[in-house]
Amino acid sequence: MSDVAHTQDSYLGPPYGLGAWLLTKDHKRIAILYLISITIFFAVGAMFAAGIRLELLTPKGDLWTSDTYNKLFTLHGVVMIFFFLVPSIPAVLGNFLLPIMIGAKDLAFPRINLLSWYIYIAGAIITLTAVFTGGLDTGWTFYVPYSTLSSHTAVTTAAVGVFITGFSSILTGLNFIVTVHRMRAPGMTWFRLPLFVWAMYATSLQMILGTPVIAITVLLVAAERFLHLGFFDPSLGGDPVLFQHLFWFYSHPAVYIMVLPGMGVISELVAAVSRKQVFGYSFVAFSSLAIALIGFLVWGHHLFVSSQSIYAGLVFSILTMLVAIPSAVKTFNWTATMYKGAVTWDSSVYWVIGFLGLFTIGGLTGLFLAAMGMDIHLSDSYFVIAHFHYIMVGGSLMAYLGGLHFWWPKMTGRMFNDTLAKASAVLVFIGFNLTFFPQFVLGYMGMPRRYHAYPDEFQVLNVLSTAGAGVLAVGYLLPAFYLTYSLFKGAKAPANPWGAKGLEWTVPSPPPTFNFESDPVVNEPAYNYNPGREVHVG
Amino acid sequence: MDLLFLFIAAVSAFFVVLVAALVLIFAVKFRRRHPDAVGADIHGSLALELTWTFIPFVLAMIMFFWGADLFFRLARPPVDSMEVFAVGKQWMWKVQHPEGVREINELHVPIGRNVRVTLGSEDVIHDFSIPAFRVKMDAVPGKLTTLWFKAEVPGTYHLFCMEYCGTNHSAMIGTVTAMPPEEYEAWLAGGGSAGGPAVPPAQAGEQLFTGSTYGCSTCHKSDHTGVAPSLVGVYGSQVQLADGRTVIADDNYVRESIMVPTAKVVKGYQPIMPPFQGLVSEEQVIQIIAYLKTLKADAAPAH
Amino acid sequence: MASSSTPLETGAQGHAHNPNLQHHFYSMSQQLEASTLGMWVFLVTEIMFFGGMFMAYIVYRITYPEAWVLGSHHLNVGLGALNTGVLICSSLTMALAVRSAQVSSRKGQIVNLILTIVFGATFLVVKFFEYKEKFEHHLVPGPHFDMTLPDAGQQQLFFSLYFMLTGVHAAHMIVGIGLMLVILTMAIRGRFSSEYYTPVEISGLYWHFVDIVWIFLFPLLYLLGAHLAAHGG
Amino acid sequence: MSEHEHIVTPTGTYVATFVALLILTALTYLAAIHDFGWMNTPIALAIALLKASFVVIFFMGVRYNTPLTKVVVITGFCWLFILFGLTLNDYLTRPWLGVPGR
Ligand code: HEA
Ligand code: HEA
Ligand code: CUA
Ligand SMILES: [Cu+2]
């Protein structure tokens, strides 16, 4: 299939100029634009992280002033979440792959797709303006009344930046939903969709239903600060806890916006490395939807010690326990997929194993926090920090890197150095655990988060953690080098270097501008490594 | 609580090891032996899916009930607790004991006694946390919150502000000193560590209530003759509101009645009480409440 | 799941030549369905967007019923009702504009679109005078708020939400009018016909949505405790 | 769109809807100046909901739309109620706790 004579140029081919890229409507080029931008933001966020870790080497606050430190972790959180992890997999891998995977020539609304990138950039620029005009020191959670009445930093600007960026995510989600509904190739039924598409669909649902609420919430904060309106001001009788409800109504689903795409990537990778149908396809597919739905019902678990009604806490706690079940189902299905597979030891499997290990730890520690009595002790401590880094960095980021490597040959048409990729995965895994495992212990011992200086007895573990961050840094820097190197010197990639299934592997690497030489027709289920019998899944 | 921690930790460890072990074993045992090899034709198993839905579900429910039970015990202070008041402000804790002794960023408590801390905040959200006792609660401006604990072993423990509150959040720390009851009494008698006149909060509240600054008692007379309801025995009772609802007069109800009286109007009275928002400080509210609590229905005070 | 309409049933038949068909769609009907679905999904995000403010409204209204009634009495019911009528008119003309496109009546489109724009502008003008009145009466929250009013603090919460809700709504009207101007120019150029009227249709959806928001805002903001006022309260 | 038989609503339907909306607006006002006790707000909301449904069904043409569109509309409202419901779940149960000892 891949050797058909090229009738179209690859999407990387002409037209070249900057204008042709910046005004492109091709989902693949837009994906590359996103790839470049979020990589920059990851670097920015990582520099902030380095600042945090270096300060925490010593108990005294001696490297930065406390105001600077507060800005560091705030900006680290804001940049990493809103400008890196939320757009990462959806806007890069999703943009690139979703249309190809379902056999479409593009997303339903190519112009809106480009617009959403511009909105993202506009939001990013405004937020960066805030960084240089006073910074931001509210924590990424913007809690009122600190953010509205007390902080002296550029909260309004940053809030507007986040507000704008929100629309980028809304438009991406909207585009994906319509595309999945309306653009599938003939024969591409819902149950033949790759699981990555299911995950993206579930993610998009959360984006369109949740993001508007954070948008209006930060707008209210901006209006309260800037126009002196009052929404949460306690001196007018306003309730700061209301803000927390509105904030977490989005921001809890947002954590699934950040992990579901990663889960989708892992589903693809697990199937490809084992050359086997994903175990329990429909369970994995529906667990994505279940997470998307139940994920909206649990936000109150961030408010257990906020003076929220304890009865409301009960409801949120039990629902939180329920939302863990679909994740458990997925984890077990991935594991079972490898059973009797033909498992490769290419770099891909390293990312998969890394993800499974770290996500499981991260997820299970979420249960400590979901058990209300336990959360009283652990809330706002380093235990929480460790919990979410395990999921977001150990899980999602690992999956993102895994996916980026896996589809790199498809996106760029070049092969990278697999040995270095393995080294990078191993380094990330080790460095990661070294950085964040001690934080569980710290949290249990009672070390509060967002502390610029801390009591002496916590030092040993903090030094370990900073050392781990050093290892982690090497693990992240490595791909930057060998992937860039591959662009110029890498071997040309065949259409299907991994021997994987899926429409994206039937087109040349890199794919032609309109993805397919001829309109694709699908007549087999996903991951059909054992062709011959049409199966019912279950 | 630490038992619950161990339980969840054990469950977690079990699943982490299980998943990790299975993944590694499968990855090694079923490694690709031939470049074109494909995996076995297995699609799923309903029985397995149900098993691994059900077992985590049961475990999660155990965690939920256990955690909820603990939480409810921590959320409801026992009746016999000794009452301490703490008000957070950027960036310190102002603590007052029932006998009136004040301290800043320190809290002395007797061991073996339930201690209830009522929290207020003058500016932004803070969080009063004593990790060693496994307790923590936000101090939210605009309302009062509580937590309670019982120290068992004498010693000094960390007191942290655990909700981010600005520049010196990480310096908003202090110590909790747990001491045997006799030592505690002696410490109290010595005027605590800060010294200064020790007016018990309830007494201070009485002065505020009857004094002329706010003039509460000109309207609120204990014999129901005033234009306002008598506040004797109100605290903790069921109050009938003008719009037909009934509410329990807890800390926040009383606080709201003082700050924004029209929010909940008592049945049979006109909403003429002036709002004291911005006049009465959080600390004074706490004192007035402490005073109102002493006004038991049976023992009407003299004035 | 609506797997019903397989996108391809129409295949690449004759109308693939319609100049308005974008390259990545197979047929005009696929394109139309994608666009309308897109707009509906967008409207759902709009519901949630306003939902955040309504949430705040509900919470504070439950907490401070008195202040809410007091605040509501300061609003001008007459103007609010007038604007409700104006918006309903504009919705009618909008619907008729879409219909004109469906039956390929260029004149109908132009007339109805212009009327829609005029009604929309009327709404904004009325709104402007309402705002002006609030400024003059010191009802804008912040340092200039009339603190002698009973429950001044909580009334500020009311007015903050009033300005935010109606302000964001007005912003939507402005965007809507801009959209209509674009559609109008396209209609004048004769771009729409029964073969192709997607832009008119989806802009119409947006316009109606903005109307619906106002349908809720009117009773919730203007008419609270109106019976108390009517009986001299 | 011949093969897709996109139904064109007759003008009469639109005008009827329009008249109904105006009448309901008047009704909203009349209902508001009457004292129905706690029922005032529910009545106002019910009328508003009715008006909104008229707009959605007739003006926006959901009547002739695909089932998917209907699902989308309903989802929107469901999520709104998730937001309202679970937040109120906090606010309305706050007074339950009472004071220690009672
Ligand atoms: C991608 C991001 C992500 C994800 C996916 C999750 C997933 C989960 N989170 Fe996490 N969380 C965050 C990011 C994330 N979280 C962030 C950023 C914060 C802090 C925000 C801040 O304050 O700054 C936070 C905070 C946070 C809190 C609040 C803590 C506090 O501030 O006091 C809680 C409390 O319940 C919680 C719980 C959970 C649970 C139960 C899950 C579950 O979904 C996890 C489910 C997964 C598993 C359970 C693992 C796999 C299962 C098995 C291997 C089988 C065995 C299972 C059982 C026995 C049930 N999280
Ligand atoms: C996608 C999200 C994401 C990602 C990828 C990361 C990545 C990392 N995070 Fe982040 N983090 C958050 C999201 C994320 N974080 C959020 C939301 C918060 C909460 C913010 C808040 O409280 O408001 C937070 C808070 C947070 C804290 C707590 C701060 C506090 O509460 O006081 C810490 C502390 O260790 C930390 C560390 C790290 C580290 C070490 C990495 C590493 O993975 C990064 C690795 C990169 C580097 C280490 C930098 C590159 C290396 C060099 C330049 C070489 C030199 C460096 C050394 C020798 C150390 N993070
Ligand atoms: Cu006070 Cu943090
Ligand atoms: Cu959460």
Side-chain angles (χ1 to χ4, degrees):
Chain A
M1 192 113 179
S2 55
D3 295 321
V4 282
H6 280 206
T7 49
Q8 295 175 31
D9 273 320
S10 113
Y11 82 99
L12 292 173
Y16 292 110
L18 199 59
W21 275 86
L22 290 182
L23 295 176
T24 179
K25 282 177 264 161
D26 182 346
H27 66 103
K28 298 182 287 303
R29 289 192 168 197
I30 297 174
I32 301 295
L33 292 179
Y34 266 115
L35 173 63
I36 296 167
S37 4
I38 68 160
T39 308
I40 293 172
F41 276 100
F42 177 69
V44 173
M47 292 319 292
F48 290 131
I52 296 175
R53 281 320 322 166
L54 289 175
E55 168 66 72
L56 295 178
L57 264 177
T58 54
K60 283 204 194 52
D62 36 17
L63 183 58
W64 317 106
T65 64
S66 49
D67 280 329
T68 310
Y69 180 82
N70 294 345
K71 289 175 190 168
L72 281 176
F73 71 71
T74 302
L75 293 167
H76 167 67
V78 169
V79 167
M80 283 296 200
I81 295 219
F82 296 116
F83 297 100
F84 170 65
L85 200 52
V86 168
S88 65
I89 298 181
V92 178
L93 300 177
N95 237 335
F96 195 96
L97 294 165
L98 189 111
I100 310 188
M101 281 182 165
I102 65 171
K105 290 188 210 133
D106 204 324
L107 288 172
F109 310 115
R111 252 174 287 169
I112 290 186
N113 196 20
L114 180 64
L115 179 66
S116 83
W117 182 72
Y118 275 102
I119 294 181
Y120 167 84
I121 293 294
I125 288 174
I126 295 181
T127 309
L128 284 181
T129 317
V131 176
F132 293 110
T133 56
L136 177 71
D137 73 342
T138 60
W140 82 279
T141 47
F142 288 98
Y143 271 20
V144 296
Y146 182 72
S147 61
T148 47
L149 302 176
S150 181
S151 172
H152 297 294
T153 54
V155 183
T156 313
T157 324
V160 171
V162 170
F163 172 80
I164 292 178
T165 314
F167 285 93
S168 153
S169 175
I170 291 175
L171 293 180
T172 305
L174 186 153
N175 223 335
F176 284 0
I177 288 184
V178 175
T179 305
V180 174
H181 273 288
R182 290 283 178 249
M183 310 291 287
R184 280 171 286 126
M188 180 53 92
T189 58
W190 282 88
F191 289 100
R192 285 179 180 170
L193 289 175
L195 288 164
F196 179 71
V197 176
W198 276 96
M200 289 314 310
Y201 183 76
T203 310
S204 308
L205 282 178
Q206 297 207 309
M207 283 177 165
I208 60 152
L209 291 164
T211 319
V213 179
I214 187 84
I216 190 67
T217 309
V218 293
L219 198 63
L220 294 181
V221 167
E224 177 152 349
R225 237 187 118 83
F226 190 64
L227 303 173
H228 304 289
L229 298 182
F231 303 103
F232 310 110
D233 181 352
S235 70
L236 302 177
D239 183 5
V241 180
L242 175 63
F243 169 86
Q244 300 177 21
H245 278 294
L246 293 173
F247 180 85
W248 290 111
F249 179 84
Y250 163 76
S251 293
H252 183 80
V255 310
Y256 296 116
I257 292 178
M258 292 183 270
V259 86
L260 276 170
M263 293 171 154
V265 167
I266 293 301
S267 299
E268 296 300 313
L269 261 61
V270 163
V273 298
S274 328
R275 291 244 178 95
K276 195 164 158 283
Q277 155 87 41
V278 172
F279 195 86
Y281 172 95
S282 50
F283 284 89
V284 179
F286 278 114
S287 61
S288 291
L289 291 185
I291 292 177
L293 169 66
I294 311 175
F296 268 104
L297 311 176
V298 305
W299 77 81
H301 64 215
H302 296 272
L303 283 75
F304 286 152
V305 296
S306 71
S307 83
Q308 159 185 256
S309 152
I310 60 175
Y311 304 94
L314 271 188
V315 175
F316 285 124
S317 173
I318 197 165
L319 288 165
T320 307
M321 292 295 180
L322 288 184
V323 81
I325 309 296
S327 300
V329 169
K330 276 182 192 280
T331 310
F332 292 128
N333 277 309
W334 291 320
T335 313
T337 304
M338 297 177 77
Y339 176 69
K340 290 210 172 155
V343 182
T344 171
W345 277 88
D346 290 340
S347 58
S348 306
V349 81
Y350 285 74
W351 300 110
V352 171
I353 295 176
F355 172 93
L356 286 177
L358 301 179
F359 169 74
T360 307
I361 298 180
L364 286 163
T365 50
L367 298 176
F368 290 76
L369 301 170
M372 306 163 83
M374 210 58 245
D375 184 66
I376 293 189
H377 176 47
L378 298 175
S379 184
D380 280 320
S381 75
Y382 261 79
F383 195 92
V384 177
I385 301 283
H387 155 67
F388 67 71
H389 282 91
Y390 259 84
I391 298 196
M392 300 204 298
V393 186
S396 307
L397 186 56
M398 203 90 177
Y400 170 65
L401 287 174
L404 193 64
H405 282 82
F406 184 64
W407 283 293
W408 186 260
K410 179 57 58 188
M411 297 171 77
T412 62
R414 301 287 183 155
M415 300 301 289
F416 53 84
N417 182 328
D418 208 55
T419 317
L420 283 177
K422 288 178 198 166
S424 157
V426 170
L427 277 179
V428 169
F429 188 81
I430 296 174
F432 181 84
N433 280 300
L434 196 56
T435 314
F436 293 105
F437 202 83
Q439 298 188 358
F440 282 126
V441 185
L442 281 173
Y444 188 67
M445 286 161 66
M447 174 160 167
R449 66 189 285 198
R450 299 171 171 177
Y451 261 33
H452 160 239
Y454 54 86
D456 295 342
E457 68 254 36
F458 298 138
Q459 185 172 13
V460 179
L461 290 165
N462 270 302
V463 171
L464 265 183
S465 179
T466 303
V471 180
L472 198 50
V474 179
Y476 289 141
L477 285 176
L478 216 50
F481 291 118
Y482 63 76
L483 288 181
T484 317
Y485 178 82
S486 79
L487 286 182
F488 303 101
K489 292 282 164 66
K492 285 255 185 304
N496 189 357
W498 316 115
K501 285 278 173 182
L503 281 179
E504 79 270 27
W505 300 113
T506 65
V507 299
S509 310
T513 308
F514 295 129
N515 297 346
F516 298 96
E517 302 288 344
S518 56
D519 295 344
V521 176
V522 181
N523 47 27
E524 57 173 10
Y527 320 112
N528 197 12
Y529 286 97
N530 302 78
R533 80 190 169 102
E534 179 74 7
V535 277
H536 65 282
V537 279
Chain B
M1 176 175 300
D2 294 322
L3 255 184
L4 172 61
F5 186 87
L6 284 179
F7 171 71
I8 310 184
V11 172
S12 303
F14 172 75
F15 279 107
V16 171
V17 172
L18 180 76
V19 171
L22 287 180
V23 167
L24 286 177
I25 291 174
F26 292 166
V28 174
K29 181 142 179 261
F30 303 113
R31 68 183 172 278
R32 198 172 290 174
R33 286 160 206 278
H34 179 275
D36 294 331
V38 295
D41 192 15
I42 306 175
H43 294 273
S45 145
L46 188 61
L48 269 180
E49 300 288 348
L50 291 180
T51 320
W52 62 50
T53 308
F54 186 68
I55 293 178
F57 175 75
V58 171
L59 289 170
M61 284 306 113
I62 296 176
M63 292 174 198
F64 163 71
F65 281 109
W66 196 337
D69 177 59
L70 256 175
F71 184 79
F72 268 61
R73 264 187 280 146
L74 284 167
R76 289 192 289 211
V79 201
D80 62 352
S81 344
M82 145 186 161
E83 266 203 75
V84 178
F85 302 98
V87 174
K89 78 177 258 219
Q90 283 168 332
W91 289 274
M92 59 173 172
W93 291 108
K94 296 191 282 183
V95 178
Q96 189 172 21
H97 288 257
E99 292 76 12
V101 174
R102 290 166 181 281
E103 14 184 4
I104 285 187
N105 289 342
E106 276 183 67
L107 170 62
H108 288 73
V109 292
I111 56 170
R113 180 108 184 258
N114 297 327
V115 179
R116 172 183 174 199
V117 187
T118 299
L119 297 166
S121 165
E122 285 183 12
D123 35 45
V124 302
I125 305 180
H126 301 276
D127 184 297
F128 190 91
S129 153
I130 314 170
F133 302 155
R134 310 283 184 254
V135 292
K136 148 179 321 143
M137 188 69 203
D138 278 7
V140 185
K143 65 174 74 167
L144 299 173
T145 54
T146 67
L147 61 78
W148 73 278
F149 60 87
K150 183 158 136 189
E152 303 281 6
V153 185
T156 45
Y157 305 94
H158 285 299
L159 165 64
F160 291 132
C161 172
M162 278 251 204
E163 183 64 60
Y164 176 67
C165 53
T167 310
N168 285 327
H169 164 59
S170 62
M172 194 164 161
I173 59 178
T175 53
V176 176
T177 311
M179 35 189 15
E182 319 78 60
E183 273 181 44
Y184 176 71
E185 294 304 330
W187 175 86
L188 271 185
S193 33
V199 186
Q203 205 175 315
E206 177 168 12
Q207 282 161 11
L208 289 169
F209 194 81
T210 53
S212 57
T213 336
Y214 301 135
C216 316
S217 58
T218 49
C219 298
H220 293 281
K221 302 215 165 71
S222 55
D223 53 5
H224 300 272
T225 56
V227 292
S230 153
L231 296 184
V232 174
V234 161
Y235 187 85
S237 70
Q238 301 262 347
V239 179
Q240 288 273 343
L241 299 184
D243 59 8
R245 287 180 291 168
T246 24
V247 293
I248 295 177
D250 57 10
D251 287 355
N252 279 315
Y253 168 77
V254 176
R255 185 186 175 286
E256 190 182 61
S257 294
I258 299 170
M259 299 304 206
V260 191
T262 51
K264 299 197 177 68
V265 179
V266 182
K267 189 174 182 161
Y269 291 90
Q270 290 302 312
I272 50 163
M273 174 166 162
F276 287 89
Q277 183 106 47
L279 301 172
V280 176
S281 73
E282 284 312 319
E283 224 174 327
Q284 290 173 330
V285 170
I286 292 180
Q287 290 164 347
I288 294 176
I289 292 177
Y291 166 65
L292 293 184
K293 279 182 195 168
T294 64
L295 299 178
K296 298 274 158 50
D298 40 4
H303 66 265
Chain C
M1 283 302 125
S3 51
S4 53
S5 69
T6 343
L8 287 169
E9 76 237 326
T10 47
Q13 287 153 25
H15 13 239
H17 299 300
N18 188 318
N20 293 307
L21 180 65
Q22 291 170 13
H23 78 269
H24 59 293
F25 289 110
Y26 286 98
S27 67
M28 286 306 281
S29 71
Q30 186 193 19
Q31 179 171 329
L32 174 74
E33 282 180 9
S35 307
T36 31
L37 178 62
M39 185 41 97
W40 278 104
V41 172
F42 180 72
L43 294 184
V44 168
T45 72
E46 290 278 20
I47 295 183
M48 296 311 291
F49 188 75
F50 280 95
M53 286 183 281
F54 278 116
M55 187 70 249
Y57 173 95
I58 296 175
V59 165
Y60 291 137
R61 177 159 172 207
I62 293 178
T63 321
Y64 306 116
E66 286 283 316
W68 244 235
V69 170
L70 291 173
S72 182
H73 284 178
H74 290 292
L75 300 185
N76 190 327
V77 182
L79 291 184
L82 174 68
N83 259 347
T84 313
V86 169
L87 272 193
I88 293 176
C89 294
S90 79
S91 259
L92 173 68
T93 52
M94 187 68 237
L96 293 176
V98 177
R99 185 175 186 280
S100 309
Q102 285 171 339
V103 300
S104 302
S105 151
R106 181 157 155 266
K107 192 167 146 248
Q109 291 171 49
I110 296 174
V111 170
N112 280 307
L113 284 172
I114 290 179
L115 281 176
T116 309
I117 293 171
V118 168
F119 284 127
T122 314
F123 178 92
L124 288 175
V125 171
V126 173
K127 200 79 234 156
F128 171 79
F129 283 107
E130 274 193 78
Y131 280 179
K132 193 158 156 263
E133 192 182 306
K134 299 294 161 302
F135 268 96
E136 282 158 5
H137 291 95
H138 295 283
L139 291 172
V140 181
H144 303 295
F145 195 80
D146 180 359
M147 292 307 284
T148 58
L149 292 174
D151 287 342
Q154 293 68 47
Q155 283 208 50
Q156 287 193 54
L157 290 179
F158 175 84
F159 279 104
S160 298
L161 281 168
Y162 164 79
F163 278 110
M164 206 65 193
L165 279 162
T166 55
V168 172
H169 177 263
H172 276 79
M173 293 289 300
I174 294 172
V175 171
I177 291 180
L179 209 62
M180 287 310 143
L181 287 172
V182 175
I183 299 292
L184 180 63
T185 35
M186 287 170 84
I188 291 174
R189 291 206 199 119
R191 285 286 304 280
F192 307 124
S193 67
S194 64
E195 283 294 302
Y196 177 67
Y197 55 87
T198 313
V200 198
E201 164 136 355
I202 62 175
S203 328
L205 292 179
Y206 174 86
W207 190 270
H208 294 305
F209 171 81
V210 179
D211 183 16
I212 292 181
V213 173
W214 186 260
I215 287 181
F216 283 95
L217 288 182
F218 176 57
L220 289 178
L221 291 174
Y222 288 80
L223 293 177
L224 289 185
H227 55 280
L228 303 178
H231 302 306
Chain D
M1 247 23 43
S2 33
E3 95 283 5
H4 211 76
E5 89 282 347
H6 221 269
I7 299 145
V8 179
T9 314
T11 315
T13 314
Y14 286 139
V15 174
T17 312
F18 168 74
V19 173
L21 286 174
L22 286 185
I23 294 177
L24 285 174
T25 307
L27 201 65
T28 312
Y29 180 73
L30 292 179
I33 57 173
H34 258 275
D35 188 355
F36 293 110
W38 61 271
M39 282 295 288
N40 271 68
T41 308
I43 290 175
L45 282 178
I47 300 177
L49 209 61
L50 194 65
K51 284 169 74 179
S53 343
F54 278 4
V55 176
V56 172
I57 294 172
F58 298 109
F59 280 170
M60 298 170 89
V62 159
R63 207 164 37 139
Y64 302 125
N65 243 306
T66 57
L68 181 60
T69 313
K70 290 167 194 158
V71 173
V72 170
V73 177
I74 294 170
T75 311
F77 281 99
C78 286
W79 252 257
L80 196 59
F81 285 111
I82 291 178
L83 171 63
F84 291 171
L86 282 174
T87 307
L88 289 179
N89 164 37
D90 171 13
Y91 282 90
L92 299 182
T93 60
R94 276 188 196 178
W96 288 9
L97 185 56
V99 301
R102 305 243 177 193

